Amino acid sequence: MSKTNKSSLSILLRGIIAENPVLVLVLGTCPTLAQTGSVISAVGMGIAAMLVLVCSNVVISLLRRVIPDTVRIPCYIVVIAGFVSVVQMLMNAYLPDLYDMLGVYLALIVVNCIILGRAEMFASKNPVGASALDGLGMGLGFLLTLFVMGTIREVFGAGTFAGIKIPFLIDYNFPILKSPPGGFFVFGCMIAVVNAILKKRGKPVREEAGCEGCPSFEACERKFDKSADTPLEEGKNQ
Amino acid sequence: MIKTLTIIFVSSILVDNYVLTRFLGICPFLGVSRKLDQAVGMGVSVIFVMLCATAVTWPIQIFILDKLGLGYLQTLVFILVIAALVQFVEITLKKFLPSLHSALGVYLPLITTNCIVLGVAINNITDGYNFLESIVSSLGVGIGFLFAMVLFSGVRTRLENTGVPETFRGLPITLVAASIVSLSFYGFAGVIEGMLS
């Protein structure tokens, strides 16, 4: 019993620290960059994505023996799009301000590679309980990263925290951090910090944007020979 | 009429560049921009798919979903239509235009679940554009994407020969470089106001 408890705790914690989806796996960069201009929108985005991630992981895990292998990606997309629509409608009804703030990025959770990636890599191979925990862990990792980045950008970019004014910083801040270029810059620096920590611990560091969650990962891997650096002719490497 | 279309076109290329100010399509922007020919191929494929996707999703939204009061199915329908459309386009090109297929075929499957295509299709509806405006806006966004990819591939070629601090090597310096490219697009902020007056 204690052993299963320990393993489920490790599934949960893995998503938050060791395999943090944004900083270590470098997935889901679009919402991370776009929605961290303020703490409120960052937390809203994180919670919405976490809800979709947990629900879709549970359903896909339940259906893992039913879904035929050849059409699994469209099936996953339908399940995810269904939950995204549910979250959209709930948020429009109860949190209309946040709904307007997130705008099109809420609908774009459908193509967020964290969610599709967890469906493909974890939920389609594991039982329901573990999948739910994995979704929760990854979702919390995403939420926490967005919160930290949103805090950095809002506190130093606008001198406020979730709308509350901070003395001194309100007069002396760097508005560029809140704007799109600041998003790229802060994200780059955060990944650099994580890379430094990973290197110190002797773990491999990611050189490129994460591709694991991308449904076209296999097609991409096959067609772009990374070492040759040029697209191969189709069927040449068979 | 022409004026509105011009404003939409120019603003979606320069002022409101989807990659650099709205962060859509970051994956191909960071992933396929190391070589100029790959960047161009990806950009042209995105323009092509985006035009097809808008031409199909706009009528679906206006004549089917809105008519039947099914607006809440937008996300679900659009992503499935775009995924099916990309497959269809690939098969059609292979059959009828093999030369174009050999140039773009590599990139087409990668665009299926790209957020820039879905984002443009949804934004055209949210902004209340008519059919012609939607097509022009998609074309503008596509050209803006190609423009950003080409510029950034040049920046990255330069980056490969510089002495970057060890911690920043790889993805972090790419993001910082993207930040500077994005900053340069701030210079276009006043262009639209100038056009209006």
Side-chain angles (χ1 to χ4, degrees):
Chain A
M1 188 64 199
S2 66
K3 201 180 172 188
T4 54
N5 272 342
K6 202 178 169 190
S7 71
S8 51
L9 192 68
S10 74
I11 290 177
L12 188 67
L13 287 178
R14 194 184 56 193
I16 301 175
I17 301 161
E19 282 184 32
N20 185 301
V22 186
L23 295 172
V24 182
L25 302 178
V26 202
L27 298 171
T29 38
C30 297
T32 310
L33 289 165
Q35 288 304 330
T36 48
S38 74
V39 178
I40 305 274
S41 64
V43 171
M45 183 74 217
I47 292 177
M50 190 170 79
L51 281 178
V52 175
L53 185 51
V54 173
C55 296
S56 68
N57 256 9
V58 167
V59 170
I60 287 165
S61 170
L62 284 171
L63 293 175
R64 68 186 189 278
R65 290 182 218 285
V66 185
I67 295 175
D69 199 45
T70 42
V71 290
R72 64 183 194 286
I73 300 283
C75 293
Y76 299 160
I77 291 179
V78 171
V79 170
I80 296 167
F83 283 114
V84 169
S85 300
V86 170
V87 169
Q88 262 182 313
M89 283 192 274
L90 282 174
M91 202 175 265
N92 197 4
Y94 296 105
L95 297 165
D97 292 343
L98 190 62
Y99 181 79
D100 290 338
M101 208 189 273
L102 295 182
V104 71
Y105 298 98
L106 201 54
L108 291 179
I109 297 179
V110 177
V111 284
N112 186 326
C113 31
I114 297 177
I115 296 172
L116 213 53
R118 289 332 283 176
E120 169 86 358
M121 286 186 291
F122 198 92
S124 58
K125 294 169 196 139
N126 288 287
V128 183
S131 300
L133 278 175
D134 178 73
L136 192 64
M138 286 285 164
L140 280 174
F142 183 62
L143 174 63
L144 278 175
T145 317
L146 256 67
F147 176 71
V148 171
M149 200 169 145
T151 310
I152 295 176
R153 284 181 69 188
E154 200 187 325
V155 168
F156 294 104
T160 55
F161 177 78
I164 305 160
K165 288 176 184 165
I166 297 170
F168 184 71
L169 279 173
I170 190 81
D171 300 319
Y172 302 94
N173 50 42
F174 314 94
I176 194 78
L177 287 183
K178 212 170 149 63
S179 65
F184 281 113
F185 184 76
V186 173
F187 192 46
C189 292
M190 281 175 77
I191 292 186
V193 170
V194 169
N195 279 359
I197 297 170
L198 284 180
K199 252 184 201 148
K200 216 167 200 177
R201 293 196 181 168
K203 286 190 178 149
V205 169
R206 200 160 283 268
E207 292 274 308
E208 289 291 323
C211 283
E212 284 87 350
C214 186
S216 36
F217 176 58
E218 281 171 27
C220 197
E221 271 290 282
R222 201 177 68 237
K223 284 170 185 166
F224 293 102
D225 186 352
K226 289 273 157 72
S227 56
D229 238 11
T230 42
L232 292 176
E233 291 299 313
E234 232 176 310
K236 199 175 170 183
N237 53 347
Q238 278 171 5
Chain B
M1 183 66 188
I2 300 287
K3 198 175 174 188
T4 330
L5 291 182
T6 320
I7 288 175
I8 291 177
F9 187 66
V10 174
S11 81
S12 48
I13 295 180
L14 295 178
V15 184
D16 232 2
N17 190 296
Y18 266 52
V19 183
L20 295 170
T21 62
R22 295 200 186 183
F23 307 112
L24 298 179
I26 291 292
C27 295
F29 180 67
L30 297 177
V32 205
S33 62
R34 273 203 297 182
K35 284 277 178 315
L36 185 62
D37 53 341
Q38 290 179 9
V40 172
M42 189 73 194
V44 174
S45 312
V46 165
I47 295 178
F48 188 66
V49 170
M50 207 132 68
L51 282 176
C52 298
T54 310
V56 172
T57 50
W58 193 88
I60 286 181
Q61 173 76 24
I62 302 297
F63 297 119
I64 300 177
L65 295 182
D66 283 357
K67 279 270 156 63
L68 300 175
L70 294 173
Y72 57 88
L73 284 180
Q74 191 195 47
T75 315
L76 185 59
V77 170
F78 276 22
I79 184 76
L80 289 179
V81 165
I82 291 170
L85 182 83
V86 173
Q87 294 295 317
F88 180 74
V89 165
E90 200 191 353
I91 294 167
T92 317
L93 281 186
K94 205 172 195 171
K95 175 83 181 153
F96 296 107
L97 293 166
S99 57
L100 193 61
H101 181 263
S102 63
L104 303 184
V106 183
Y107 305 97
L108 285 176
L110 310 183
I111 303 173
T112 320
T113 53
N114 196 326
C115 47
I116 194 164
V117 179
L118 183 63
V120 169
I122 293 176
N123 265 348
N124 283 337
I125 305 293
T126 335
D127 291 347
Y129 288 159
N130 63 30
F131 188 70
L132 197 60
E133 287 169 349
S134 302
I135 294 290
V136 170
S137 133
S138 310
L139 186 64
V141 171
I143 293 176
F145 178 76
L146 174 64
F147 190 41
M149 290 284 279
V150 169
L151 283 181
F152 198 53
S153 77
V155 174
R156 285 190 78 170
T157 320
R158 285 289 181 96
L159 268 182
E160 297 206 341
N161 302 323
T162 47
V164 179
E166 203 188 334
T167 355
F168 270 88
R169 232 165 260 171
L171 197 55
I173 195 69
T174 312
L175 283 163
V176 173
S179 148
I180 293 166
V181 174
S182 165
L183 197 61
S184 70
F185 270 68
Y186 253 44
F188 296 115
V191 169
I192 291 301
E193 284 79 4
M195 281 173 72
L196 277 169
S197 57

